[in-house]
Amino acid sequence: MNDKKKKKHWERSRQEFMEFTREQRQAIETGAEKALVVAGPGSGKTTVLTERLCTLLERGVPAEKILLLSFTRASSKEMEERFFRKMGIRAGRPRFSTIHALCFSLLREDLGYKKEDLVNLYEKMDWLSQYYLEKGILREEVQELLPGLIAQISYFKSIGERERIAYLQKEKQEDFLALYHFYEESRKKRGKLDFEDLLLEVLRILMEKGDLAKAWQSRFSHILVDEFQDLSLVQYEIIKSLAKSPNALFVVGDEDQSIYGFRGASPGILLSFTRDYPNCERIFLSDNFRSYREIVELSKRLIGKNKERFQKKLQGRQGSGGKAKYYALATGKEEAKLLVQHIEEAKEEGCPLEEVAILCRSRKQIPALLPLFMERGIPYSLTEEVQNVFQHFVGKDILAYLRLTINKESRGELLQILNKPYRGLLREKIQREESPFSDLKKAYRGRKEERALLLLEAQLQKMQELPVQERILFIRKDMGYEQYLESFAKKKNRDFEELQSLLEELTAMAEQTEGVEAFFRFVEKFNADCLQRQKEESGEGVRIMTYHGAKGLEFDEVFLPDCIEGIIPDGRAKTQEELEEERRSFYVALTRARKKIHIYVTKERYSKKVKPSRFIPELLGG
């Protein structure tokens, strides 16, 4: 870009610059060596970061000396694309990266690390499977647990020693600690690093190897950090070391949106910035350009209950016209029907389905919403992977029981549940493909096992008279399947509550269907849907996702089902710190809405009485 064109570009930029608020201009133009920008929802932080990059280039900072760190690859790519749309490829190329990618590149370029030195997902799963195999537990029995265990190991490696001790004491994780040591021994024996090790190794070098640390610190004169509230302590220490004076550090975040505690993030890290850099410039972007005033005021009342936060004057700049509606229903079935009805009404009123989002606290809430969408032909998009409960052994067992209520001579289904719970029946007694139940009756006639077999036959017959949801409850309670799972979990050192939650999920899905045949049609379509989503993501229709998945997004209308105790806040949240993170999660969900929020509460969930979330009165200023 020649000088004339460059000057013309910056003349256009100055015209745009006058349209920014005073606080935004302050952030874009600051000359402070260290600056903290606290950016509330909808305050234009991405635009501010992009303009900040442009300003640095205008001031003559070499592009290769500028580093912008984002929390995810997707956000890093988005920031890079926005920058080059504005400046053009000839403007130079600042470095856009995640912190993990940055650390790997430093180790690769200066110490010869290769991609093969990193642990991949399959290796992790193989090592953990080997750990359980040595305890007599087959891989198939722990398959669905492995992703959670891997995440648990990552979290444990990302927190400090004091936090580790507290975590182990609170969770009574002696079994986890043994698993963790096995994993670390397996990794070290093979000379491998995982993502957390990349960070720890870079931090060690920065702390211990002066010459290499100075070389790394000299690479970047200006470091900008997006989503600063999502950093772990280790990540923050790396950034502090890279940004040693005279390097400039410009961070943007919002402690009210710190919701990744399970990854080691904490709002305290953002709050400590002003203690670590007492002379830093602190700028608040408090104007929300996304949401109507009523939405901003509602969410502001909620987050104001948190103690660990900056006090800030959040205000809506879109004017009045927002609506927040609250619905109290008796059951989950009524809730789902009303929610779908409201979405259809929103569409009739002219709201594109792509501007509608259903946000759930947990992925486990999502499948129960889908039967009605499928039945009504409403397109939807799942932006996160949802566990297919029908591919889990618990789901397969329940489906087998249900199919046996239609045809008790179904051999595969009978073998699936033959001793779940234990009945003393042997698989080898089944001789014929077409009449397995008759074979068992013949084999056990006059023997003690005959009583269990006749009881099973009577139970299957009784279930034929029940609605599909009642059939599942009958299998769980009257037939003793839930008790069998509890015994299985104890024997195999599994989490019974996790298995029980799958039963609840199945029961909730059945509640939304009319009749067992309709339920099987739903299962077939759900399985096909899950398979299709593994191949491609259409992105069309209503967006259904978790609070965490929605972070950074915005929609005209947001629907929040299951706003009850045990869901939000999560029943496992006990401490003040945990409850504040739950409140922040709810705050993130609320602030995704531009125009309307729909909040749903039920009096009963999974056949149990429940109470509205404690956050509901807080929204009203209580």
Side-chain angles (χ1 to χ4, degrees):
M1 184 182 292
N2 60 41
D3 291 343
K4 187 174 181 181
K5 286 184 178 179
K6 186 174 181 181
K7 183 180 179 185
K8 195 171 183 181
H9 167 81
W10 282 107
E11 285 174 354
R12 288 199 304 273
S13 181
R14 286 296 172 222
Q15 180 63 38
E16 297 167 5
F17 190 71
M18 297 306 294
E19 298 173 0
F20 293 129
T21 66
R22 181 177 61 83
E23 291 78 13
Q24 288 175 327
R25 292 197 299 271
Q26 182 184 355
I28 293 166
E29 289 278 85
T30 182
E33 183 182 284
K34 303 294 188 287
L36 168 64
V37 180
V38 181
S43 61
K45 72 174 181 64
T46 304
T47 300
V48 166
L49 278 164
T50 305
E51 291 293 333
R52 175 69 181 166
L53 285 174
C54 296
T55 299
L56 292 175
L57 290 172
E58 181 192 29
R59 291 174 177 172
V61 177
E64 65 275 10
K65 286 284 189 177
I66 303 173
L67 169 67
L68 194 147
L69 293 172
S70 297
F71 188 59
T72 65
R73 282 184 293 181
S75 60
S76 179
K77 184 178 179 181
E78 179 192 0
M79 190 71 70
E80 186 173 11
E81 288 173 350
R82 287 186 65 153
F83 172 77
F84 285 115
R85 277 199 302 269
K86 182 172 181 62
M87 293 292 289
I89 58 174
R90 290 173 296 178
R93 184 172 290 276
R95 186 162 186 170
F96 297 85
S97 180
T98 65
I99 192 164
H100 286 95
L102 173 69
C103 288
F104 179 64
S105 68
L106 292 174
L107 294 174
R108 182 189 60 203
E109 293 164 15
D110 290 312
L111 295 173
Y113 281 73
K114 303 182 294 295
K115 189 176 180 181
E116 294 74 26
D117 295 321
L118 299 179
V119 181
N120 63 47
L121 178 62
Y122 300 105
E123 288 175 313
K124 291 181 181 181
M125 296 179 77
D126 281 341
W127 298 345
L128 299 184
S129 296
Q130 182 63 35
Y131 173 83
Y132 284 105
L133 187 62
E134 291 179 7
K135 293 180 173 294
I137 303 174
L138 299 178
R139 179 180 181 127
E140 295 74 31
E141 295 177 347
V142 296
Q143 185 72 33
E144 71 280 358
L145 292 179
L146 297 181
L149 291 170
I150 290 169
Q152 199 174 1
I153 289 170
S154 296
Y155 168 77
F156 195 69
K157 295 182 80 166
S158 68
I159 58 178
E161 190 62 33
R162 186 174 61 181
E163 288 80 8
R164 286 187 181 190
I165 293 170
Y167 177 75
L168 292 172
Q169 288 175 339
K170 178 192 169 192
E171 301 293 337
K172 298 180 180 178
Q173 296 281 15
E174 297 86 355
D175 294 325
F176 165 73
L177 193 57
L179 173 70
Y180 174 76
H181 287 317
F182 180 89
Y183 169 83
E184 283 293 273
E185 288 170 8
S186 300
R187 179 186 63 77
K188 290 174 182 176
K189 187 163 56 178
R190 293 163 176 82
K192 296 266 191 172
L193 297 178
D194 59 24
F195 283 133
E196 286 65 43
D197 294 315
L198 288 178
L199 305 181
L200 293 169
E201 181 66 7
V202 166
L203 182 58
R204 184 188 66 80
I205 291 170
L206 286 168
M207 296 293 104
E208 297 176 6
K209 296 195 175 182
D211 291 341
L212 188 51
K214 286 178 182 177
W216 287 353
Q217 288 159 354
S218 68
R219 290 194 182 189
F220 308 107
S221 61
H222 289 75
I223 299 175
L224 295 81
V225 184
D226 189 17
E227 302 287 10
F228 186 73
Q229 76 282 344
D230 293 334
L231 295 181
S232 69
L233 184 60
V234 172
Q235 292 168 343
Y236 180 42
E237 292 297 331
I238 289 171
I239 290 170
K240 280 200 299 184
S241 184
L242 288 174
K244 278 191 174 179
S245 186
N247 290 347
L249 179 58
F250 179 93
V251 304
V252 181
D254 180 11
E255 80 287 357
D256 289 337
Q257 297 183 69
S258 178
I259 60 173
Y260 288 102
F262 58 91
R263 294 180 185 169
S266 166
I269 292 173
L270 187 147
L271 294 168
S272 69
F273 189 89
T274 55
R275 293 194 296 269
D276 294 334
Y277 303 107
N279 296 321
C280 73
E281 183 168 12
R282 189 166 63 178
I283 304 164
F284 288 93
L285 304 183
S286 302
D287 290 327
N288 185 322
F289 297 93
R290 171 191 301 157
S291 307
Y292 283 122
R293 187 176 300 134
E294 291 82 358
I295 305 294
V296 175
E297 291 301 317
L298 186 80
S299 57
K300 187 166 69 172
R301 284 195 293 270
L302 174 78
I303 201 63
K305 299 294 182 181
N306 272 6
K307 306 298 182 187
E308 192 175 13
R309 65 187 296 265
F310 289 118
Q311 294 302 314
K312 51 181 91 79
K313 295 180 180 180
L314 301 168
Q315 54 188 349
R317 292 288 294 268
Q318 285 291 349
S320 299
K323 294 181 180 178
K325 297 184 177 181
Y326 175 83
Y327 312 93
L329 292 309
T331 65
K333 185 174 184 178
E334 291 182 18
E335 177 189 57
K337 283 185 175 180
L338 186 62
L339 187 150
V340 169
Q341 178 187 321
H342 288 157
I343 288 176
E344 290 176 329
E345 290 171 357
K347 182 183 177 183
E348 290 172 5
E349 292 169 2
C351 182
L353 289 181
E354 289 73 24
E355 287 296 337
V356 173
I358 301 173
L359 307 185
C360 301
R361 173 61 183 86
S362 166
R363 293 181 188 183
K364 294 176 184 177
Q365 296 167 253
I366 294 175
L369 297 168
L370 303 184
L372 279 176
F373 279 84
M374 294 180 180
E375 181 185 314
R376 305 265 186 107
I378 302 173
Y380 64 89
S381 172
L382 299 179
T383 59
E384 299 167 82
E385 184 179 351
V386 176
Q387 181 183 9
N388 187 346
V389 66
F390 302 116
Q391 298 303 313
H392 190 284
F393 81 84
V394 171
K396 291 177 180 178
D397 288 349
I398 296 297
L399 290 179
Y401 268 117
L402 292 176
R403 291 192 178 100
L404 286 170
T405 65
I406 300 171
N407 175 20
K408 70 178 182 182
E409 297 289 0
S410 178
R411 186 175 188 273
E413 277 67 31
L414 187 58
L415 288 172
Q416 177 79 26
I417 56 85
L418 194 60
N419 286 297
K420 300 178 180 180
Y422 181 73
R423 299 182 176 96
L425 306 175
L426 300 177
R427 300 167 66 93
E428 52 264 33
K429 297 296 183 182
I430 297 176
Q431 302 293 326
R432 294 174 295 175
E433 184 76 30
E434 67 280 1
S435 54
F437 210 97
S438 300
D439 282 352
L440 288 173
K441 290 177 74 174
K442 181 179 179 181
Y444 288 111
R445 186 171 293 123
R447 298 174 58 178
K448 62 179 182 178
E449 292 87 357
E450 183 181 24
R451 182 177 178 183
L453 188 60
L454 293 175
L455 176 61
L456 174 60
E457 184 177 36
Q459 289 170 329
L460 293 174
Q461 186 172 351
K462 178 178 176 60
M463 278 194 287
Q464 293 174 0
E465 307 166 3
L466 303 175
V468 62
Q469 183 194 16
E470 295 299 321
R471 293 190 195 193
I472 294 177
L473 288 171
F474 186 86
I475 295 165
R476 291 173 56 181
K477 307 296 184 182
D478 295 70
M479 297 185 76
Y481 182 76
E482 197 161 333
Q483 190 174 4
Y484 154 76
L485 279 185
E486 188 172 8
S487 175
F488 170 86
K490 187 175 182 180
K491 180 181 177 182
K492 300 292 187 179
N493 196 28
R494 297 280 296 274
D495 183 358
F496 170 63
E497 289 186 5
E498 183 70 24
L499 299 176
Q500 190 179 40
S501 72
L502 297 174
L503 289 174
E504 303 286 18
E505 188 178 323
L506 285 160
T507 308
M509 283 189 277
E511 188 180 23
Q512 309 304 330
T513 57
E514 300 293 337
V516 70
E517 295 296 342
F519 182 66
F520 281 124
R521 286 195 298 272
F522 162 70
V523 172
E524 184 178 354
K525 193 171 188 314
F526 183 79
N527 283 332
D529 233 33
C530 287
L531 186 62
Q532 182 66 19
R533 288 178 200 288
Q534 291 175 3
K535 298 178 181 178
E536 61 179 345
E537 177 56 61
S538 67
E540 298 177 354
V542 177
R543 309 301 173 93
I544 307 177
M545 64 189 79
T546 62
Y547 297 174
H548 288 79
K551 192 165 175 287
L553 303 178
E554 55 187 74
F555 307 92
D556 282 349
E557 297 199 30
V558 168
F559 295 76
L560 305 178
D562 300 325
C563 294
I564 56 177
E565 286 290 309
I567 299 293
I568 183 70
D570 185 283
R572 292 167 294 184
K574 304 298 182 185
T575 67
Q576 183 66 29
E577 181 181 7
E578 290 166 341
L579 289 171
E580 289 209 355
E581 175 146 340
E582 290 294 301
R583 190 178 285 109
R584 291 192 297 270
S585 295
F586 198 43
Y587 174 74
V588 165
L590 292 168
T591 55
R592 300 311 94 196
R594 299 189 191 100
K595 300 176 181 178
K596 293 181 182 179
I597 293 172
H598 304 260
I599 298 171
Y600 300 84
V601 168
T602 57
K603 296 179 181 177
E604 184 179 285
R605 179 177 170 82
Y606 301 149
S607 303
K608 298 176 183 177
K609 297 294 182 183
V610 291
K611 295 179 180 179
S613 168
R614 70 190 71 182
F615 298 149
I616 302 299
E618 295 178 0
L619 294 177
L620 305 175

